[in-house]
Amino acid sequence: MKAKNRDQSLSDSRELDGSYDQLTDSVEDDFELSTVCHRPESMDKLQEQTKFTKKELQVLYRGFKNECPCGVVNEENFKTIYSQFFPQGDSSMYAHFLFEAFDTNKNGSVSFEDFVFGLSIILRGTINDRLNWAFNLYDLNKDGCITKEEMLDIMKSIYDMMGKYTYPSMQDDIPREHVESFFQKMDRNKDGVVTIEEFIESCKKDENIMQSMQLFDNVI
């Protein structure tokens, strides 16, 4: 039974990265198994659960496995990878928030499944799916509403990530001004918090937000 599970794991992994080769010998099999901590689900299952094609999943898996050979990524490694995209600033806090959003099981690690499920929503989900995902990112304590303090933490992390070269003359109170503007627009009943309903309704009425979301449609 163990041998069967082992063979299936190798088969699923190779199907994902497109690297299956019948000539691969048992020594290479043992090496691959010893270096991988987590096996992704089968290609068919991931196709059913996401909006990616087989080819797209293979491309994503190759990239993921290249950065995370053991099959999962912890928060520190996630921050290191993410920082490569924003060398001019400090992306660590925003990467922390992003990691929390991808780590849906709250086990301190992001698997390939976690990664593609989130990416599928961001890139291929409906408008409501994408807005729900964004709301969950901003709702830091996951209590169902966004407070000014949470939004301020998000805004500060974005400015830190973009760096002083991008905003060299930015005043310290600019993030707070953006938060006030955000709440003026979205806190419909003026109770000091933004609910998921208020967030989705306001975003759908904002032409700039809708246009920016459409930019993701053809990323892959």
Side-chain angles (χ1 to χ4, degrees):
M1 179 64 76
K2 285 184 179 178
K4 186 177 180 182
N5 289 340
R6 173 182 179 279
D7 292 342
Q8 184 61 47
S9 291
L10 275 169
S11 175
D12 290 346
S13 178
R14 285 178 183 149
E15 184 186 18
L16 272 170
D17 66 15
S19 64
Y20 180 72
D21 184 351
Q22 291 182 333
L23 297 178
T24 301
D25 61 31
S26 61
V27 174
E28 289 173 326
D29 289 354
D30 290 338
F31 174 75
E32 186 176 355
L33 277 173
S34 68
T35 56
V36 178
C37 306
H38 174 80
R39 287 276 163 218
E41 294 192 28
S42 71
M43 174 71 72
D44 291 340
K45 233 176 188 179
L46 287 176
Q47 275 188 272
E48 286 174 13
Q49 295 171 338
T50 69
K51 296 185 179 180
F52 294 125
T53 65
K54 178 178 180 179
K55 188 67 177 175
E56 288 168 341
L57 285 167
Q58 287 176 338
V59 170
L60 288 168
Y61 184 63
R62 284 194 203 105
F64 188 88
K65 201 167 77 166
N66 185 55
E67 292 291 346
C68 317
C70 70
V72 295
V73 57
N74 62 27
E75 184 171 341
E76 286 311 306
N77 289 339
F78 185 86
K79 287 179 178 178
T80 301
I81 295 167
Y82 200 73
S83 67
Q84 297 171 21
F85 299 100
F86 300 95
Q88 76 278 17
D90 178 4
S91 64
S92 59
M93 187 51 69
Y94 189 78
H96 164 71
F97 297 143
L98 206 54
F99 182 86
E100 290 281 301
F102 275 105
D103 180 18
T104 53
N105 295 322
K106 303 305 172 195
N107 59 2
S109 64
V110 171
S111 65
F112 180 66
E113 290 94 329
D114 295 331
F115 176 65
V116 291
F117 292 161
L119 209 59
S120 178
I121 293 171
I122 296 167
L123 301 182
R124 301 286 167 79
T126 64
I127 292 297
N128 274 11
D129 289 339
R130 297 181 195 188
L131 290 175
N132 269 290
W133 198 91
F135 182 88
N136 182 62
L137 173 65
Y138 300 150
D139 178 16
L140 300 181
N141 66 358
K142 314 305 177 197
D143 66 348
C145 60
I146 302 171
T147 65
K148 286 186 179 181
E149 290 74 20
E150 287 174 322
M151 201 65 217
L152 183 60
D153 286 343
I154 291 285
M155 290 306 304
K156 283 180 176 177
S157 72
I158 291 172
Y159 281 115
D160 287 344
M161 178 172 66
M162 300 311 293
K164 296 295 183 184
Y165 293 108
T166 309
Y167 301 105
S169 58
M170 187 189 78
Q171 302 298 313
D172 291 339
D173 58 350
I174 293 296
R176 190 172 293 278
E177 289 178 10
H178 279 201
V179 170
E180 290 300 329
S181 173
F182 173 91
F183 269 76
Q184 283 286 329
K185 197 179 295 183
M186 298 204 175
D187 183 13
R188 301 286 175 147
N189 62 0
K190 307 303 177 190
D191 63 350
V193 297
V194 173
T195 63
I196 182 67
E197 293 80 15
E198 289 174 322
F199 182 79
I200 290 177
E201 183 184 347
S202 299
C203 286
K204 284 183 172 179
K205 290 180 179 177
D206 190 308
E207 192 175 319
N208 291 328
I209 291 175
M210 289 296 96
Q211 286 178 349
S212 68
M213 295 187 78
Q214 289 169 4
L215 294 175
F216 292 111
D217 287 348
N218 300 304
V219 169
I220 295 181

